[in-house]
Amino acid sequence: MNRLRRNALRWVHLVIGGAILMPYFLVASVLVSLVMEGADPYRDTATQFLAFGAALPLAWLAGLVFAPARSMAAGAVRTFCGVPGELMADEPGYSWTARRRTALWFLVHNAAGGIVSGMSLAAPPAAISLMILPFSTGLQRGFPAWQETFPGVLGPLAGLALLALVVGTSWGAGRLMARLAPVLLGPTPADRLAAAERRAADLATRNRLARELHDSVGHALSAVTLQASAARRVLDTDPEFARQALAAIEDTTRDAVAELDTVLGLLREEDGSDPAAPAPTLDGLQALLERTRAAGVRVEATLEGRHKGLPPMVSREAYRIVQEGLSNALRHAGPVPVELHVHRTERELTLRMENPVSGPVAGPAPGSAVPAPRTGGGRGLLGIAERARLLGGEAAAGPRDGVWRLTARLPLAGRERGARSDVQP
């Protein structure tokens, strides 16, 4: 039953093609009657076939000029021919390759549709007449040539053969159109390349959002967790320190909300502004260090070179790399001393962070909490590698001689050389 329905829908699709050809056929009929003296396309069969042939180039030209024709034809094919939607192009064909394919589809579809439509209109009445010819004296007198050509039982057999010809032609033409549709109405290589570029851009945007959320919100949550744990431990014995920790939590969460709004700004495209513009840069490094120190981590920062006037992208990514490095220290090492070196030359910006791997070396700050054992992660280090790679730089992180060391080199001129990363999550 499904196969019968599919073949019936394909026949309908062919009839639609014949109907689409009718305006071009009428125009061609007028042109033929003007060019050929005495031609009568409405009564003369030969002239009708000539007008039919002249109408096909007009249909081809319409498919070539009208770019949305591809998406319209593809929608009809999905509905009537049973061709999977993923094989068809969804967008209008604006490239000349797509236009030529669409024009060829129009030519084939209208030609096949015109033939099947004509046969569907003319053949069934003739077939019925042939099948009842032996039993109708009126038909025998009206069509004596038929009676002579198909005497006796040959009339009904000829009628059945004529119906079979119509059915077979419709079936074959429908099957041919279903096979040609993905070739002529499917995406071109340029369409596939554009789709791949769009998917790559979407994936890059998602990765960027993930990095921003991980670095900004992750850092704030790590700091707040240690600050709250420290406040709880000394709430009864050192209320003043608890108040300071709560104030630090308030400042940290306020800044985190602001950074979260910045990250969500990446999704806002209505105003056409650069979503990366309000993101924090190295100009806010001192505030970041103060918030980290408030969580009980002793941070010693050494800044070499001029850090004003850095390229905005370099300054933003450098800030996020430092932020993630401090977050790693908070989450996985606790209140250990952290050394930060920021060095700028004419060509690049170098970041280096070091902290002991196994606990504090000079004892924790008052009330400081000890972090829970590491159960996962590594995404932040991969994010650091991606940030460095996007700028054409390199990043490396890992333990060495009891010290966890994170280094990143960011060229100031962008992607000058191939990037390299060597992080060990």
Side-chain angles (χ1 to χ4, degrees), residues 328-418:
N328 280 338
L330 284 170
R331 283 194 296 265
H332 309 307
V336 299
V338 177
E339 295 183 4
L340 169 64
H341 299 271
V342 182
H343 179 66
R344 176 185 178 177
T345 64
E346 293 183 358
R347 302 186 60 183
E348 65 182 26
L349 180 71
T350 303
L351 308 173
R352 188 175 79 252
M353 298 182 64
E354 298 178 350
N355 62 268
V357 173
S358 55
V361 296
S368 297
V370 178
R374 180 174 181 173
T375 59
R379 299 180 184 87
L381 297 179
L382 294 177
I384 289 175
E386 291 178 357
R387 292 181 186 278
R389 227 177 0 251
L390 288 174
L391 296 176
E394 60 184 19
R400 180 177 300 177
D401 299 329
V403 175
W404 182 272
R405 182 175 292 107
L406 166 66
T407 60
R409 181 191 64 80
L410 308 178
L412 300 184
R415 299 187 62 88
E416 296 180 339
R417 294 179 293 274

Side-chain angles (χ1 to χ4, degrees), residues 227-250:
Q227 291 163 348
S229 178
R232 177 180 59 81
R233 289 171 180 271
V234 300
L235 183 61
D236 297 329
T237 59
D238 193 347
E240 180 61 26
F241 180 84
R243 280 193 294 270
Q244 294 177 3
L246 293 175
I249 290 174
E250 181 182 2

Side-chain angles (χ1 to χ4, degrees), residues 4 30 46 61 71 92 98 138 148-149 163 171 178 188 196 211 248 260 296 300 304 335 337 351 372 395 403 416:
L4 180 61
V30 173
L61 184 62
S71 55
E148 295 176 3
T149 307
L163 288 178
W171 176 83
T188 64
R211 290 196 305 268
L260 181 60
E300 296 182 6
E304 300 177 359
L351 308 173
V403 175
E416 296 180 339

Side-chain angles (χ1 to χ4, degrees), residues 278-330:
T281 64
L282 281 183
D283 294 339
L285 179 61
Q286 193 60 39
L288 174 64
L289 298 180
E290 291 299 329
R291 291 196 300 270
T292 306
R293 293 186 180 111
V297 176
R298 294 183 293 277
V299 182
E300 296 182 6
T302 303
L303 308 180
E304 300 177 359
R306 185 171 57 90
H307 299 95
K308 298 293 184 180
L310 285 170
M313 183 64 70
V314 174
S315 184
R316 183 179 71 87
E317 300 299 338
Y319 178 93
R320 292 302 193 194
I321 290 174
V322 173
Q323 187 180 50
E324 176 57 25
L326 295 174
S327 297
N328 280 338
L330 284 170

Side-chain angles (χ1 to χ4, degrees), residues 63-404:
L64 185 69
V65 174
F66 189 55
R70 184 177 73 165
S71 55
M72 297 170 59
V77 167
R78 282 193 293 265
T79 302
F80 294 103
C81 295
V83 177
E86 60 270 14
L87 299 180
M88 309 302 296
D90 296 324
E91 299 179 353
Y94 292 105
S95 67
W96 283 111
T97 300
R99 289 173 184 266
R100 286 191 294 269
R101 292 184 178 185
T102 304
L104 182 57
W105 167 264
F106 260 60
L107 179 65
V108 176
H109 181 213
N110 291 342
I115 294 172
V116 171
S117 298
M119 295 178 64
S120 299
L121 288 173
I128 294 174
S129 298
L130 286 171
M131 285 189 288
I132 65 175
L133 182 62
F135 314 102
S136 174
T137 57
L139 284 175
Q140 294 173 7
R141 289 193 301 266
F143 300 95
W146 286 17
Q147 178 64 22
E148 295 176 3
T149 307
F150 306 105
V153 74
L154 292 181
L157 292 178
L160 292 175
L162 187 57
L163 288 178
L165 178 63
V166 174
V167 173
T169 303
S170 301
W171 176 83
R175 188 174 179 85
L176 174 64
M177 301 308 297
R179 287 182 176 273
L180 287 179
V183 178
L184 299 180
L185 298 178
T188 64
D191 295 329
R192 294 188 180 93
L193 179 60
E197 290 176 348
R198 287 194 297 269
R199 287 194 296 269
D202 292 342
L203 182 59
T205 301
R206 292 174 57 187
N207 287 339
R208 182 180 179 186
L209 285 170
R211 290 196 305 268
E212 296 292 336
L213 285 172
H214 180 277
D215 293 350
S216 60
V217 179
H219 173 82
L221 291 178
S222 298
V224 166
T225 299
L226 288 179
Q227 291 163 348
S229 178
R232 177 180 59 81
R233 289 171 180 271
V234 300
L235 183 61
D236 297 329
T237 59
D238 193 347
E240 180 61 26
F241 180 84
R243 280 193 294 270
Q244 294 177 3
L246 293 175
I249 290 174
E250 181 182 2
D251 293 338
T252 301
T253 52
R254 185 182 297 112
D255 293 336
V257 170
E259 288 198 25
L260 181 60
D261 184 67
T262 297
V263 174
L264 295 179
L266 294 172
L267 298 174
R268 304 188 188 109
E269 301 177 355
E270 293 79 7
D271 56 358
S273 60
D274 181 8
T281 64
L282 281 183
D283 294 339
L285 179 61
Q286 193 60 39
L288 174 64
L289 298 180
E290 291 299 329
R291 291 196 300 270
T292 306
R293 293 186 180 111
V297 176
R298 294 183 293 277
V299 182
E300 296 182 6
T302 303
L303 308 180
E304 300 177 359
R306 185 171 57 90
H307 299 95
K308 298 293 184 180
L310 285 170
M313 183 64 70
V314 174
S315 184
R316 183 179 71 87
E317 300 299 338
Y319 178 93
R320 292 302 193 194
I321 290 174
V322 173
Q323 187 180 50
E324 176 57 25
L326 295 174
S327 297
N328 280 338
L330 284 170
R331 283 194 296 265
H332 309 307
V336 299
V338 177
E339 295 183 4
L340 169 64
H341 299 271
V342 182
H343 179 66
R344 176 185 178 177
T345 64
E346 293 183 358
R347 302 186 60 183
E348 65 182 26
L349 180 71
T350 303
L351 308 173
R352 188 175 79 252
M353 298 182 64
E354 298 178 350
N355 62 268
V357 173
S358 55
V361 296
S368 297
V370 178
R374 180 174 181 173
T375 59
R379 299 180 184 87
L381 297 179
L382 294 177
I384 289 175
E386 291 178 357
R387 292 181 186 278
R389 227 177 0 251
L390 288 174
L391 296 176
E394 60 184 19
R400 180 177 300 177
D401 299 329
V403 175
W404 182 272

